[in-house]
Amino acid sequence: MGKGVAITGMGIISAIGNNVAENYDALINERKGITRVDNIETIQRSEIMVGEVKFTNDELIAQLNLPPENNYSRTAMLGVIAAKEAIASAGITDIKKYKTGIVSGTSVGGMDMTEKYYYEYLTEKEPQKYIESHHAGDSTQKIAEQLGIEESLVTTISTACSSAANAIMLGARLIKSRKLDRVVVGGADCLSKFTINGFKTLMILSDTFNTPFDENRKGLNLGEAAAFLVLESDAVVKAENKKVLAYVKGYGNANDAFHQTASSDNGDGATLAMEKALRVADLKASEIDYINAHGTATGNNDLSEGRAILRIFGEEMPEFSSTKAYTGHTLAAAGAIEAVYSVLALQNNIIFPNLNFKTPMKEFSMIPQTELKKKELNTVLSNSLGFGGNCSTVIFSKEA
């Protein structure tokens, strides 16, 4: 087997919980976080459903003890909350003791601040305070500052829906190559008018609960969330006598170069990514115990991903499910959200159900796991598949 990279801490905030424990409780009790839009003034409010973190921006500011006048985007604030939980979970009290970096994925970035600039630049005396937070790297920089990561690698990945999975992949490679001793990896994205209207234009939003892998799926529910994992080298784990939650065992990404906003019908990119992840992990397809599928409930994704899974696993397909019916599609954060869920599945030997499923797709006979199931798990494959230009998948294992 390939040598894995240790996961020693996790943190998350999503529509179903404000920390890891709350998320797990919602998952095992099949409690969805999909509602109508509450925190954003939008003409789409009655037309779509979303996975929204219920804290207002003012409540997040108070929770983080930020001054009232600040230029933290909602993405940055969600990211700080999740990253701080991950650091605490890993038992880290001195961030500078080892060479530590952060790799964070985002697609929305500070767009919510840019929207304020758009509405207020003619009337506000200092509207530039909003635009300073626009770029994707700003949220990563603010998370790094809050964690005290100042002298090492601080970088951002923005590859649409596979961003956080690619962040995990890069973090693992940085540790394997001994460039860093510890890397905080994950992603954060908030809801904004820009994303709501953009996906509405793509005509892939649902006006009801999303139904992954169902023949009658209508589209996705956008979500907002942040999640981070702490990856550490064997040397740090040994020196600090760290408890290891799981290992990043394999990873792969691929570009099927099919379309700007769609994956290929046969799942070429997803197939290549899964093949690479298995090769890096030195595992056979038959050794995967559970697949946390990307499963966005869009016509294109579920068909493309389903065909890719069939190409890899054939008759040896393990149970699979999508957890996006709980949280919505959290875009760049999705790979990190589902990484946390994959580790929770491993730790508790539980397969989380694919909620809302009723009718199998006509193209194949694949049926997701629809009920909470206890099963001895050793390896979990987690798919994050961006638009046609990028695909990524990660394997998590109990063993190094």
Side-chain angles (χ1 to χ4, degrees), residues 127-144:
Q128 67 270 19
K129 69 180 179 182
Y130 299 136
I131 207 70
E132 289 169 356
S133 301
H134 171 79
H135 65 91
D138 179 78
S139 58
T140 307
Q141 188 64 48
K142 285 184 167 61
I143 296 166

Side-chain angles (χ1 to χ4, degrees), residues 70-339:
N70 68 81
N71 66 345
Y72 273 64
S73 66
R74 186 172 176 85
T75 295
M77 290 191 287
L78 294 175
V80 169
I81 289 169
K84 283 187 171 182
E85 183 189 6
I87 291 294
S89 167
I92 297 170
T93 55
D94 183 0
I95 199 76
K96 297 181 180 179
K97 185 174 181 179
Y98 297 98
K99 190 183 293 185
T100 302
I102 180 169
V103 185
S104 180
T106 190
S107 61
V108 179
M111 188 59 69
D112 62 319
M113 300 291 279
T114 308
E115 289 169 355
K116 289 183 180 180
Y117 177 83
Y118 176 81
Y119 288 111
E120 298 178 15
Y121 79 101
L122 288 177
T123 57
E124 286 288 314
K125 292 182 179 179
E126 299 181 14
Q128 67 270 19
K129 69 180 179 182
Y130 299 136
I131 207 70
E132 289 169 356
S133 301
H134 171 79
H135 65 91
D138 179 78
S139 58
T140 307
Q141 188 64 48
K142 285 184 167 61
I143 296 166
E145 290 170 357
Q146 287 281 330
L147 298 182
I149 301 174
E150 301 170 352
E151 300 173 357
S152 192
L153 178 75
V154 177
T155 194
T156 305
I157 290 180
S158 189
T159 56
C161 311
S162 66
S163 300
N166 278 319
I168 295 168
M169 176 176 173
L170 177 56
R173 293 178 67 187
L174 286 165
I175 288 176
K176 281 188 173 184
S177 63
R178 300 183 181 179
K179 300 290 185 184
L180 293 173
D181 303 312
R182 175 195 292 140
V183 190
V184 181
V185 296
D189 260 341
C190 72
L191 285 169
S192 70
K193 291 184 180 182
F194 176 82
T195 44
I196 290 172
N197 292 332
F199 276 83
K200 185 75 172 178
T201 301
L202 290 173
M203 296 183 288
I204 56 173
L205 294 183
S206 176
D207 60 354
T208 186
F209 297 110
N210 71 84
T211 59
F213 297 105
D214 192 284
E215 170 64 21
N216 300 310
R217 60 198 183 280
K218 297 178 68 176
L220 60 82
N221 302 132
L222 284 171
E224 62 178 358
F228 287 89
L229 301 92
V230 177
L231 308 184
E232 297 191 283
S233 69
D234 290 342
V236 173
V237 170
K238 184 177 180 180
E240 301 293 323
N241 193 26
K242 284 290 188 72
K243 177 184 177 181
V244 176
L245 306 179
Y247 293 89
V248 177
K249 190 73 173 177
Y251 36 75
N253 59 8
N255 185 338
D256 62 8
F258 176 73
H259 189 274
Q260 285 184 315
T261 59
S263 299
S264 59
D265 292 340
N266 291 320
D268 294 336
T271 301
L272 285 169
M274 285 187 278
E275 286 176 342
K276 288 181 179 180
L278 288 166
R279 190 160 59 247
V280 170
D282 193 21
L283 291 170
K284 299 183 182 70
S286 59
E287 294 177 276
I288 299 297
D289 299 315
Y290 164 54
I291 303 169
N292 185 301
H294 191 55
T296 62
T298 60
N300 172 251
N301 175 89
D302 294 5
L303 177 61
S304 178
E305 184 179 11
R307 284 177 169 161
I309 290 172
L310 282 169
R311 287 168 69 178
I312 295 295
F313 293 93
E315 297 299 319
E316 299 180 312
M317 188 183 303
E319 288 95 340
F320 74 96
S321 64
S322 168
T323 47
K324 288 185 173 64
Y326 286 93
T327 63
H329 187 359
T330 57
L331 304 182
I337 296 296
E338 287 147 31

